[in-house]
Each structure stands twice: as structure tokens, then as C-alpha cells.
């Protein structure tokens, strides 16, 4: 394979028209320049320079390699600029995974803020629900994931967590339900009610509800499994039961339901960004975190 550095030396000789001038520009001795050109001629298998008086001129092979050396220099300059952009967070690709309510409430405004600063960074956005988006980061298939994190759980090795917001749960009741007369409900007020399960698959969101109910001294009497928050509102509006849902999920409130705050206890889920450790501190990741925090306020 041709030596790129020797090709650059040949280009300097051809451009200046002399080995001596090229040596001055490159900071080499004339002897070192001659050795580099001779070694390149052996690689090429053809003479590259002809002597003309005190100077030199390129042979056909010399002109060919000089032209290619110029193209190589241009590509190296482009590569260095691309690396500088990548270090500054101006280019590249950021893989982001999230669960449904985060995707609806947090991600769109955060993406708009992010693109205003990093328009050249490609965002690969994907909903992972019902799968845990943390798995994607842990497996190296994502750079950032928005997750529900239980405070007593340790993050996987190689993953750092950044807290974004605390998302409290609220009660959702059929309009006209007798409990809607209260502005704030004790969770135990719902103990005797039939429940619509808004999140039936096992996971942290379901655990938060069950643990809070246990702390209030009861287990929910589930009569309907809705699987998602909007559907749960529909069942509640039809009078089939009550439910509790994260406040973040209430982007649209069904006209047939009323929402009330909870206390004693107030279930709350902690929403965090899970980041691969090798991405912590990169300008693109930092800007995305700032955008997510801003959209969560």
C-alpha cells in the first residue's frame, strides 16, 4: 500500500518545483525529502520526478499521485473537522429510548429545544413500552433512556442516572362520584371502591401503586385491566371503577372524569434519564438532559 505521508512529501516537491524548497516548507533536510520520494518510487514501481535544471517536474505517475495526495489531504481536513464537530456535539447520532407517557409529555418539547442547538445531530427516537427502556442502554443499543426508577434499586453497571422529575399519582373518578366532593383524597378513601387497573403488566409503575395501597392498609379490588392510562379513563367515565394514574399521563382528561390529588400516602414515581457512562459529559447528551429538565417543569 502506498504511504500517505510520502505522497504528501511528493506533493510538496511538485508544488514548489524543487526538493530544496519542499524541504524548507516541510522542515526536513533535502536528503530526507529525496529518501521519501525514492521510497515512494519503489512502492509505485515507476519514476515520479524528472530533473529539469536545478529543479524537478513530475512524471505522469508523479502527477497522478500528486492529484491523489491532494484529494487525501482534503479528506483528512474533512475528517478532522467532523471530529471537531462531534466533540462539540454538532454532529453524530444520539439514540434515545422512552416509555409512553414520557414520549407524549417530555420528549416532543425536549426534541424541539435540542434541535434548536444541535440541528446536525441525528436523533434516533423509539418507544420501547412494554419493555423497559433501561435494558436498551444497558445492552448498548441506546445512549439515553427515560426510565421510571425506584430509589432503592441500583442502576446497571456502566449506566448513570440523572433525575428529571417526581411525578405524583392522582385519583381519577367518574364525574358525579360522591368522593369528588373532596378536593384531596386520602388513598384509603378508595379502599372500598372497585378499581380499573391502568397498568396491568408487572413493572415499577404497577409496583408503586400496589405498594402505596399496601401502605394505606388495603389491596385494590381490580375489576377491569385497561393496560394504558387513556383507556383507563374511559372505563372510569363509564362508571366501572376508580383508578390512580401519574399526573404526567393526563395530557388529555376524559370529559367524564374528575381528577383529585392524593395523600397519606401520595404515590410518586421518579423519572430519570439513564445514560451510558461513555456518553456522560458529551455536549449533545448534556443539551438533551437540559432540554428534558426544561420540558418537565
Amino acid at each position: 500500500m502506498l504511504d500517505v505521508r510520502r505522497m504528501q512529501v511528493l506533493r510538496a516537491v511538485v508544488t514548489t518545483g524543487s526538493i530544496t524548497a519542499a524541504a524548507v516548507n516541510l522542515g526536513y533536510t533535502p536528503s530526507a525529502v529525496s529518501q521519501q520520494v525514492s521510497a515512494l518510487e519503489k512502492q509505485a514501481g515507476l519514476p515520479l520526478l524528472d530533473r529539469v535544471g536545478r529543479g524537478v517536474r513530475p512524471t505522469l505517475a508523479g502527477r497522478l499521485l500528486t492529484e491523489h495526495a491532494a484529494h487525501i489531504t482534503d479528506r483528512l481536513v474533512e475528517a478532522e473537522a467532523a471530529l471537531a464537530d462531534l466533540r462539540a456535539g454538532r454532529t453524530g447520532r444520539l439514540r434515545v429510548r422512552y416509555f409512553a407517557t414520557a414520549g407524549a409529555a417530555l420528549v416532543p418539547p425536549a426534541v424541539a429545544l435540542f434541535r434548536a442547538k444541535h440541528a446536525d445531530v441525528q436523533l434516533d427516537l423509539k418507544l420501547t413500552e412494554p419493555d423497559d427502556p433501561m435494558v436498551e442502554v444497558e445492552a448498548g443499543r441506546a445512549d439515553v433512556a427515560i426510565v421510571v426508577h425506584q430509589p432503592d434499586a441500583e442502576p446497571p453497571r456502566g449506566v448513570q442516572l440523572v433525575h428529571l422529575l417526581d411525578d405524583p399519582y392522582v385519583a381519577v373518578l367518574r364525574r358525579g362520584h360522591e368522593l369528588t366532593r373532596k378536593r384531596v383524597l386520602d388513598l384509603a378513601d378508595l379502599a372500598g371502591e372497585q378499581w380499573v387497573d391502568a397498568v396491568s403488566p408487572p413493572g415499577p409503575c404497577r409496583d408503586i401503586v400496589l405498594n402505596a395501597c399496601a401502605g394505606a392498609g388495603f389491596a385494590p379490588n381490580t375489576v377491569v385491566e385497561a393496560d394504558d392510562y387513556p383507556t383507563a379513563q374511559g372505563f372510569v367515565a363509564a362508571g366501572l371503577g376508580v383508578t390512580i394514574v401519574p399526573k404526567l399521563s393526563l395530557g388529555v382528561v376524559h370529559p367524564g372524569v374528575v381528577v383529585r390529588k392524593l395523600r397519606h400516602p401520595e404515590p410518586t414515581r421518579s423519572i430519570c434519564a439513564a445514560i451510558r457512562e461513555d456518553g456522560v459529559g458529551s455536549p449533545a447528551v448534556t443539551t438533551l438532559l437540559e432540554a428534558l429538565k426544561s420540558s418537565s417543569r
Side-chain angles (χ1 to χ4, degrees):
M1 182 179 292
L2 295 172
D3 187 286
V4 173
R5 181 59 187 167
R6 289 169 182 165
M7 290 175 64
Q8 300 301 333
V9 171
L10 172 66
R11 185 188 178 203
V13 173
V14 172
T15 301
T16 61
S18 94
I19 289 177
T20 301
V24 171
N25 290 343
L26 295 173
Y28 293 171
T29 64
S31 175
V33 170
S34 295
Q35 290 174 7
Q36 293 289 320
V37 172
S38 296
L40 184 60
E41 285 181 327
K42 289 181 181 178
Q43 287 184 308
L46 291 167
L48 302 177
L49 296 173
D50 286 332
R51 292 280 180 181
V52 180
R54 294 184 177 181
V56 293
R57 67 182 177 189
T59 64
L60 181 61
R63 285 197 300 271
L64 177 68
L65 288 188
T66 299
E67 290 172 1
H68 280 287
H71 291 310
I72 290 171
T73 298
D74 291 342
R75 295 302 299 271
L76 288 174
V77 170
E78 290 174 6
E80 290 175 353
L83 283 174
D85 284 341
L86 190 60
R87 285 193 296 268
R90 292 189 293 268
T91 60
R93 179 168 172 256
L94 200 59
R95 300 166 297 172
V96 182
R97 303 294 179 261
Y98 51 88
F99 59 94
T101 51
L106 293 180
V107 174
V111 168
L113 290 171
F114 178 87
R115 284 184 172 165
K117 294 185 177 180
H118 294 290
D120 293 334
V121 176
Q122 178 187 354
L123 283 177
D124 175 7
L125 304 168
K126 188 177 294 184
L127 172 70
T128 62
E129 203 161 324
D131 296 328
D132 183 359
M134 177 79 82
V135 175
E136 295 293 293
V137 176
E138 186 179 5
R141 294 188 294 268
D143 304 298
V144 179
I146 305 172
V147 301
V148 175
H149 177 65
Q150 300 200 50
D152 57 346
E154 290 292 329
R157 180 175 297 178
V159 177
Q160 287 192 16
L161 292 176
V162 176
H163 181 263
L164 297 177
L165 76 153
D166 290 323
D167 187 21
Y169 281 68
V170 293
V172 180
L173 310 169
R174 176 181 54 84
R175 188 170 293 278
H177 192 290
E178 62 179 357
L179 286 174
T180 60
R181 291 177 294 181
K182 301 176 69 172
R183 304 302 300 175
V184 181
L185 299 179
D186 291 340
L187 186 56
D189 290 338
L190 304 178
E193 302 289 331
Q194 293 184 323
W195 278 58
V196 175
D197 189 349
V199 185
S200 54
C205 293
R206 180 177 173 81
D207 291 343
I208 289 168
V209 172
L210 295 179
N211 292 339
C213 290
F218 72 98
N221 175 24
T222 300
V223 295
V224 178
E225 292 185 353
D227 288 341
D228 65 64
Y229 299 122
T231 303
Q233 288 192 52
F235 282 118
V236 171
L240 299 178
V242 302
T243 193
I244 68 173
V245 301
K247 188 176 180 181
L248 199 64
S249 72
L250 295 175
V252 176
V253 177
H254 192 290
V257 305
V258 174
V259 177
R260 292 290 183 261
K261 292 183 178 181
L262 287 169
R263 65 184 180 186
H264 305 318
E266 179 188 46
T268 301
R269 62 180 185 176
S270 177
I271 297 179
C272 298
I275 309 164
R276 288 173 55 87
E277 286 186 343
D278 56 10
V280 173
S282 81
V285 170
T286 299
T287 299
L288 180 62
L289 290 177
E290 291 172 352
L292 287 167
K293 290 178 180 178
S294 178
S295 65
S296 67
R297 297 189 184 109

